[in-house]
Amino acid sequence: YAHVTHWDERAIIKIDMAQFKYVKTINLADCQPITGVHTDHGLLIIQCQTPVTHQLNGQLVVDQITDALVAYNPHVRAQRAYLSPNQHFLVNVLRNQSGPAATGHPTSTTSTTTTIIVQRVTKAGVEFLYDVRTSLNIVNCEFVWKNGNYDAVLASGTANREDLLYLSLSDGRVELITGIGRPTNGSHRGMALAAKSRLLAVTATESVFLVDLNTNRIQCETTQRHQKPNTLIWS
């Protein structure tokens, strides 16, 4: 099955992909879905906001087979959610703005902090593990297999910061990888991972950096200048 949404609706539409036809509409009470992930355990995990004010109001878990609402957690609020490839960890990213931008008038005095909420995903549902707070504006995430587990590499879109945040998902240990240049267009970071070699390509304002995730060190920067690179694909 696939699930789709319409903006400003408190529902998801279930589609049978084998026959490509509408199945039903699942009402979500006060949850307007903004992002969601499917798991092999048959769960659909949705991040919600309120319909009118668009305030984040929690996480909803739906059984994909019965369409029942099986859990609601008002304390896990995030704009983005990333599921690890082995589907053991869910990384939720909550960006908080302070200053004039929080009321719709961004200025140079605006600051953004991020709370990274890590959960364990099981057949029974979703379990909170820990959270990490950072002054970086996290805008992208990749997962790398290392030391028998998946870790997360989170890219900063903070204009004056040249950092990646490396997060060991099993124990919450954090390491900063610095010197990757300023983000494209002020806040964008494209990333592409070569999984076998653990080489991560990251965009910057005028170049692309290659990071060796075996050692968490920068390996090189492209000598050819690229004007505001956006998307990266390993071939």
Side-chain angles (χ1 to χ4, degrees):
Y1 295 105
H3 295 86
V4 298
T5 66
H6 292 297
W7 182 249
D8 266 348
E9 288 191 2
R10 291 169 286 178
I12 51 175
I13 299 169
K14 187 176 185 178
I15 297 174
D16 184 333
M17 294 303 293
Q19 302 183 51
F20 204 69
K21 70 175 185 178
Y22 167 85
V23 178
K24 67 183 296 186
T25 297
I26 305 169
N27 293 318
L28 301 179
D30 290 327
C31 170
Q32 177 192 320
I34 55 174
T35 186
V37 297
H38 293 88
T39 77
D40 290 341
H41 302 310
L43 300 176
L44 173 61
I45 306 170
I46 302 169
Q47 293 296 336
C48 305
Q49 67 180 12
T50 56
V52 177
T53 61
H54 296 167
Q55 299 297 308
L56 299 176
N57 65 339
Q59 181 187 75
L60 193 64
V61 180
V62 179
D63 188 309
Q64 295 184 65
I65 305 302
T66 65
D67 304 323
L69 308 182
V70 297
Y72 171 67
N73 188 337
H75 304 295
V76 178
R77 304 179 182 186
Q79 291 94 353
R80 296 293 303 272
Y82 303 91
L83 186 65
S84 65
N86 62 359
Q87 304 202 5
H88 290 178
F89 298 99
L90 184 65
V91 178
N92 304 279
V93 175
L94 170 64
R95 293 190 297 274
N96 300 290
Q97 284 187 332
S98 62
T103 57
H105 304 285
T107 74
S108 59
T109 61
T110 299
S111 62
T112 300
T113 61
T114 301
T115 302
I116 304 160
I117 305 166
V118 178
Q119 297 171 286
R120 188 185 306 279
V121 181
T122 68
K123 293 180 180 179
V126 187
E127 171 193 354
F128 174 83
L129 291 179
Y130 55 84
D131 59 38
V132 174
R133 300 187 182 186
T134 174
S135 59
L136 300 176
N137 176 22
I138 300 299
V139 295
N140 205 347
C141 177
E142 283 280 357
F143 294 95
V144 58
W145 180 260
K146 190 173 175 181
N147 299 324
N149 216 328
Y150 274 103
D151 293 339
V153 185
L154 299 118
S156 165
T158 306
N160 60 347
R161 297 287 296 270
E162 302 184 358
D163 304 310
L164 294 174
L165 189 150
Y166 187 95
L167 175 60
S168 173
L169 293 175
S170 61
D171 58 15
R173 181 176 53 85
V174 171
E175 179 181 349
L176 278 183
I177 303 172
T178 62
I180 60 167
R182 291 174 295 145
T184 307
N185 293 326
S187 62
H188 178 78
R189 287 286 190 192
M191 295 199 296
L193 176 68
K196 290 185 178 180
S197 59
R198 301 191 186 100
L199 292 178
L200 179 72
V202 186
T203 63
T205 303
E206 294 182 343
S207 62
V208 175
F209 285 82
L210 198 62
V211 180
D212 184 351
L213 294 179
N214 294 290
T215 60
N216 289 355
R217 297 291 181 268
I218 295 173
Q219 180 167 300
C220 63
E221 177 186 4
T222 54
T223 55
Q224 179 181 356
R225 292 297 174 183
H226 305 276
Q227 290 299 318
K228 299 179 180 180
N230 190 293
T231 303
L232 295 172
I233 300 175
W234 280 102
S235 61

